[in-house]
Amino acid sequence: MTDAAVCLPVLPACDLAEAKIFYAGLLGFAEIVYSDDNYLIVRRGSMELHLWHTADRNLAENTSCYIRGGEISGLYAEYAARGVPRLSAFEIRPWGMKEFYIHDPSGVLLRFGCAPEEIGA
């Protein structure tokens, strides 16, 4: 039997040093798997994000990533307590998912969500 496939986002970042501080420091993706001038891999538990350097801010501002799971409510509480900038409300959206949003320093939209029944909401 083989391992299940994993899908990992590869996100643009205008400044990888700033991205490392934001993701590793503020969002808790503290395990730096790889880092150089053009590529960064960060991990938090089973969540892993890859970031690549781009000078195109428009590309970053038009990119998003959806992170789904039952631990989302705990992440929201942690991020609210840390004062993460540009943190949206954590609420049930018209499409039935309970979600919150964060924009990273480059403008990438991080969408965190779960089905309300996954967290008893």
Side-chain angles (χ1 to χ4, degrees), residues 15-65:
D15 182 330
L16 285 175
E18 182 180 45
K20 185 187 288 187
I21 292 167
F22 180 79
Y23 284 96
L26 200 55
L27 297 189
F29 285 79
E31 183 181 348
I32 308 298
V33 177
Y34 180 82
S35 179
D36 69 21
D37 292 339
N38 294 301
Y39 208 83
L40 172 65
I41 303 171
V42 294
R43 187 178 297 143
R44 177 187 174 127
S46 63
M47 296 182 290
E48 183 174 296
L49 300 173
H50 293 222
L51 297 103
W52 61 279
H53 179 259
T54 182
D56 186 350
R57 185 160 187 88
N58 187 55
L59 177 64
E61 291 175 349
N62 287 285
T63 298
S64 67
C65 170

Side-chain angles (χ1 to χ4, degrees):
M1 178 179 238
T2 61
D3 291 335
V6 176
C7 187
L8 299 171
V10 182
L11 307 172
C14 298
D15 182 330
L16 285 175
E18 182 180 45
K20 185 187 288 187
I21 292 167
F22 180 79
Y23 284 96
L26 200 55
L27 297 189
F29 285 79
E31 183 181 348
I32 308 298
V33 177
Y34 180 82
S35 179
D36 69 21
D37 292 339
N38 294 301
Y39 208 83
L40 172 65
I41 303 171
V42 294
R43 187 178 297 143
R44 177 187 174 127
S46 63
M47 296 182 290
E48 183 174 296
L49 300 173
H50 293 222
L51 297 103
W52 61 279
H53 179 259
T54 182
D56 186 350
R57 185 160 187 88
N58 187 55
L59 177 64
E61 291 175 349
N62 287 285
T63 298
S64 67
C65 170
Y66 198 96
I67 300 168
R68 180 179 176 164
E71 300 297 322
I72 298 302
S73 58
L75 281 177
Y76 182 78
E78 177 185 327
Y79 294 162
R82 285 186 184 179
V84 171
R86 300 175 71 184
L87 177 66
S88 76
F90 186 34
E91 59 191 17
I92 298 175
R93 308 297 173 170
W95 44 91
M97 296 294 285
K98 188 163 185 180
E99 300 175 342
F100 69 90
Y101 309 140
I102 300 171
H103 286 86
D104 80 0
S106 296
V108 172
L109 172 62
L110 303 171
R111 299 173 64 180
F112 295 82
C114 60
E117 59 271 12
E118 290 174 347
I119 58 170

